[in-house]
Amino acid sequence: MLHLLNALLFIAICICIGRALLPSQSVVARSRGEEFAVSYTLGLAAVVILCNLMFVIGLTLGVAVGISLVAASAALFYQSKRSADFAQSPFTGVITYALLAVGALSLIATVAYPINEFDAIYHWAYRGKVLLFNGTPLTEAITGIVSNDNFGRVVTHPNYPLGVPIIEAFSAYFSGWSDRWVQLPLGLWAASMPWLVAFGLRNLSQVAIRLAAIATAATPILYTTNFTENGWADLTNAGTSSSMMLGGGSDLAVMCMLTLSAALFLRATSSNCKRLAICAGVALAATAAMKNEGLALLMVCMIACVATLIFKGRPMRTIGFFAASTIICVAPWLGIRAQIPAIDENYSEQLTIENVMHFAGGANELVEKSPLAMSGRPQMDESSIPTRRSLVAAAFVDEFFDMRSWGLLWVLALISVGLVVKNLDSFNYRWLTLVIVGGVLLYFLILLVTPWNFPSLRDKGIPERLLVHLVGPIMLLLGHALSSIKAEDC
């Protein structure tokens, strides 16, 4: 029971802090459901950044927990003085209950099993335990490497971000570790997504909001890949294989934080609200604090901001606050990351023009780093080794046409992006399009130069575990596309 209460306390702290960070209802309207989803995810982002700040200046998790408790108490008092008249929900009663039911089921599926999948155990929960028992990531348990070739290291992927481990450690701080209940806050990613999309689209038509939110909740990959491939078994085995997105991983965390940041940024540009722009920067920095790919997506979002400035309708003030907040809030994690060893997966070194040209020009797949090769199994015949370019391209095409995993998402994305020509006067439309196209291109290039054997990565759920990060921006763009079509019809 204490484990459950500790996890609920963490969720409550995040909600209190997030609500205090948001502008009042009179400035930025939102429904009760939107308020919960945005407040929780924004407060969580703020707590993660606070913890990283404490770590980089030499303080411990306990200090961050104490500050968070004080901040939540002050925020609760502040909220009692502020009007809380919620805006009308854009959803009908049936849609609302359906979204709540799907969210509740995803939460139940998340905590149905203790953490028991490789990545969740060795990449995230391991660090969560280090933070819980040592109070800091700057310890031999994370920084130590056994040999110069990086094999036999104490910890896998030592420079992975600390977002999920912080959430898990905070959720266990007063009760002790529980492989089941530290996942409770992580079970709200998929549940929050439709409401975050609705918040980002609130200024548009109700039809666009409803369809985009429903499409979000109905995207199978938020819960499992290859939906119904094994009947209903996958939905009752969360966290037991790479087919499930729910559980103690970090891909849904990146997806949710990027969606939150995009939604806040869209509302900031529409309302010219600097407070929302700052909050959007907090969320984008938290995206980078969840997984290494989040840092790359941060750069994509910043480049998209710069690229859209060549057209008219440039919200310079909003972009300025957004960029400044992002840079300030991501700095603590970068300071920590600089003190943690990198391994040969370090894509900041791999993603060079030379490597891109090498593999784009038709270089063969790398087989010597395959787990099959390292385990002594027979090597492939060198004359039959395919090119890396063909393997990655085929994988992306497979995903784009895999409706059991994605539903209609990529069809809707293609249509929505195609309408950008008719919506060039809309800054938000341009920005979302560049983020989506830039994100897909980024992941294609990353996998083109990966130092690992690509077929082995494919077996582990790549690239779908990367492309899921873009669900939020795609659904937000879909809402804009639907609104533009409806406006033309009228």
Side-chain angles (χ1 to χ4, degrees):
M1 179 59 71
L2 284 178
H3 299 302
L4 172 60
L5 292 177
N6 196 164
L8 291 174
L9 174 64
F10 173 78
I11 293 172
I13 287 172
C14 292
I15 292 173
C16 289
I17 293 175
R19 289 193 70 189
L21 291 175
L22 289 172
S24 66
Q25 288 278 351
S26 61
V27 177
V28 179
R30 60 244 182 214
S31 67
R32 194 180 299 272
E34 294 165 50
E35 173 89 349
F36 175 86
V38 176
S39 296
Y40 169 64
T41 50
L42 178 59
L44 185 149
V47 168
V48 167
I49 290 167
L50 170 66
C51 290
N52 279 330
L53 176 60
M54 295 298 101
F55 297 151
V56 80
I57 63 177
L59 299 178
T60 63
L61 177 68
V63 178
V65 171
I67 294 174
S68 298
L69 285 169
V70 172
S73 300
L76 195 60
F77 176 78
Y78 170 64
Q79 285 296 321
S80 67
K81 303 292 184 180
R82 194 164 76 170
S83 174
D85 294 329
F86 295 105
Q88 183 178 359
S89 174
F91 306 127
T92 63
V94 173
I95 296 175
T96 298
Y97 289 127
L99 293 177
L100 291 175
V102 171
L105 289 173
S106 69
L107 177 60
I108 293 170
T110 301
V111 298
Y113 289 89
I115 296 173
N116 53 21
E117 199 265 327
F118 182 89
D119 285 1
I121 294 172
Y122 292 104
H123 295 167
W124 314 113
Y126 174 87
R127 289 171 177 75
K129 293 175 183 178
V130 171
L131 295 181
L132 178 62
F133 296 112
N134 291 299
T136 176
L138 301 177
T139 175
E140 185 71 11
I142 292 179
T143 61
I145 286 184
V146 173
S147 59
N148 292 331
D149 63 3
N150 298 330
F151 292 99
R153 53 188 176 271
V154 175
V155 56
T156 62
H157 304 296
N159 67 346
Y160 268 10
L162 301 169
V164 170
I166 287 170
I167 296 168
E168 293 175 337
F170 202 129
S171 299
Y173 188 79
F174 296 106
S175 62
W177 187 270
S178 166
D179 277 334
R180 182 189 304 276
W181 294 111
V182 295
Q183 298 179 97
L184 185 65
L186 307 177
L188 293 173
W189 300 133
S192 297
M193 282 291 291
W195 303 93
L196 296 178
V197 170
F199 174 79
L201 300 175
R202 175 161 278 276
N203 294 335
L204 305 180
S205 69
Q206 286 198 345
V207 172
I209 296 172
R210 291 172 184 173
L211 290 177
I214 291 171
T216 302
T219 302
I221 204 166
L222 267 64
Y223 319 102
T224 181
T225 58
N226 295 315
F227 185 59
T228 71
E229 180 183 29
N230 300 312
W232 298 100
D234 286 339
L235 292 179
T236 60
N237 289 284
T240 59
S241 72
S242 59
S243 67
M244 293 299 299
M245 287 292 178
L246 301 172
S250 61
D251 290 300
L252 292 189
V254 174
M255 174 194 71
C256 198
M257 288 294 112
L258 181 62
T259 304
L260 171 66
S261 179
L264 289 166
F265 184 58
L266 298 182
R267 293 295 297 274
T269 59
S270 300
S271 62
N272 195 29
C273 177
K274 65 179 181 182
R275 189 165 175 171
L276 275 184
I278 293 171
C279 289
V282 171
L284 188 56
T287 305
M290 293 297 173
K291 200 177 181 188
N292 282 340
E293 288 83 357
L295 185 59
L297 289 172
L298 182 154
M299 297 302 299
V300 169
C301 291
M302 292 293 101
I303 292 172
C305 283
V306 174
T308 54
L309 295 181
I310 65 175
F311 296 95
K312 294 181 179 179
R314 299 168 292 184
M316 296 292 294
R317 180 172 175 269
T318 301
I319 293 174
F321 280 106
F322 176 48
S325 174
T326 299
I327 293 169
I328 292 170
C329 291
V330 80
W333 162 239
L334 296 180
I336 298 170
R337 193 173 189 264
Q339 302 176 62
I340 299 176
I343 60 172
D344 51 358
E345 190 184 61
N346 190 357
Y347 287 105
S348 60
E349 295 180 2
Q350 298 290 336
L351 195 57
T352 63
I353 294 178
E354 181 182 0
N355 277 351
V356 170
M357 296 301 294
H358 174 69
F359 287 107
N364 287 343
E365 175 56 57
L366 301 175
V367 295
E368 66 273 12
K369 289 195 175 184
S370 166
L372 296 178
M374 289 190 288
S375 65
R377 296 182 186 179
Q379 295 282 335
M380 293 175 60
D381 180 3
E382 291 189 7
S383 62
S384 65
I385 297 175
T387 64
R388 168 69 62 78
R389 178 185 62 197
S390 64
L391 290 175
V392 175
F396 273 69
V397 171
D398 286 346
E399 290 307 311
F400 294 153
F401 287 95
D402 179 12
M403 292 190 179
R404 286 197 306 186
S405 293
W406 299 98
L408 295 175
L409 182 135
W410 292 110
V411 175
L412 297 173
L414 181 62
I415 295 172
S416 300
V417 169
L419 292 174
V420 70
V421 177
K422 295 184 178 181
N423 293 277
L424 283 177
D425 58 332
S426 169
F427 172 84
N428 287 345
Y429 207 109
R430 301 194 305 265
W431 184 76
L432 285 169
T433 300
L434 288 174
V435 169
I436 295 165
V437 174
V440 172
L441 179 61
L442 167 73
Y443 286 145
F444 186 89
L445 292 178
I446 284 177
L447 294 178
L448 193 65
V449 302
T450 180
W452 306 114
N453 174 261
F454 183 74
S456 296
L457 293 178
R458 192 80 177 102
D459 292 340
K460 297 176 182 178
I462 302 296
E464 53 264 45
R465 300 186 76 87
L466 301 180
L467 292 173
V468 75
H469 303 161
L470 302 174
V471 169
I474 289 172
M475 292 305 179
L476 289 168
L477 184 64
L478 172 63
H480 280 75
L482 291 170
S483 288
S484 68
I485 293 172
K486 184 176 178 60
E488 289 179 6
D489 291 342
C490 293

